[in-house]
Amino acid sequence: MKNVLIISGKEDAGRLFLGEAKRCAETKQAPLKFATVDMNTLAADDLEDADLLLLDPQISIADVQAVSKDATPIAVIPNDVYGWLNGQALVKFTCDQLDLFPVMD
């Protein structure tokens, strides 16, 4: 199971996206565990167990790297995926980032 942390600029948006991502990961039987945190409250402790950090498109990679103590991979969620809260596309994007098995559409 891979732990994926979604870092968003707005807590409500992150929670909405989290629900979609969890549902789609379960449906696709992808070994992913999603969590979310607001960038404004992000602390180094939030990043400890993450295998991948996914950023909402408005979050700066440099801002997250300033908080991170290790070399956890970071990827920016594509605008079309984040803007439409497309959980299925997020699961596929996440699997691609982690080199996991391909998720069938």
Side-chain angles (χ1 to χ4, degrees):
M1 185 71 67
K2 297 289 185 174
N3 294 314
V4 181
L5 182 63
I6 300 170
I7 302 172
S8 63
K10 294 182 179 178
E11 192 173 336
D12 292 339
R15 277 195 223 134
L16 288 171
F17 206 27
L18 180 64
E20 287 298 312
K22 284 181 174 180
R23 267 190 294 284
C24 290
E26 186 177 306
T27 300
K28 298 289 184 182
Q29 297 179 348
L32 302 171
K33 180 179 176 186
F34 287 97
T36 187
V37 67
D38 186 305
M39 182 62 199
N40 296 323
T41 62
L42 182 66
D45 292 347
D46 296 325
L47 308 175
E48 283 182 3
D49 296 330
D51 296 303
L52 176 65
L53 305 176
L54 292 179
L55 311 184
D56 110 12
Q58 289 79 34
I59 302 295
S60 163
I61 291 175
D63 289 344
V64 174
Q65 287 174 328
V67 176
S68 179
K69 294 179 182 176
D70 59 18
T72 303
I74 300 172
V76 177
I77 301 169
N79 280 324
D80 58 332
V81 174
Y82 193 84
W84 289 102
L85 298 176
N86 188 334
Q88 184 171 346
L90 181 69
V91 170
K92 183 175 183 333
F93 177 76
T94 302
C95 286
D96 289 346
Q97 295 300 308
L98 292 168
D99 292 325
L100 295 175
F101 64 90
V103 176
M104 305 306 288
D105 292 20

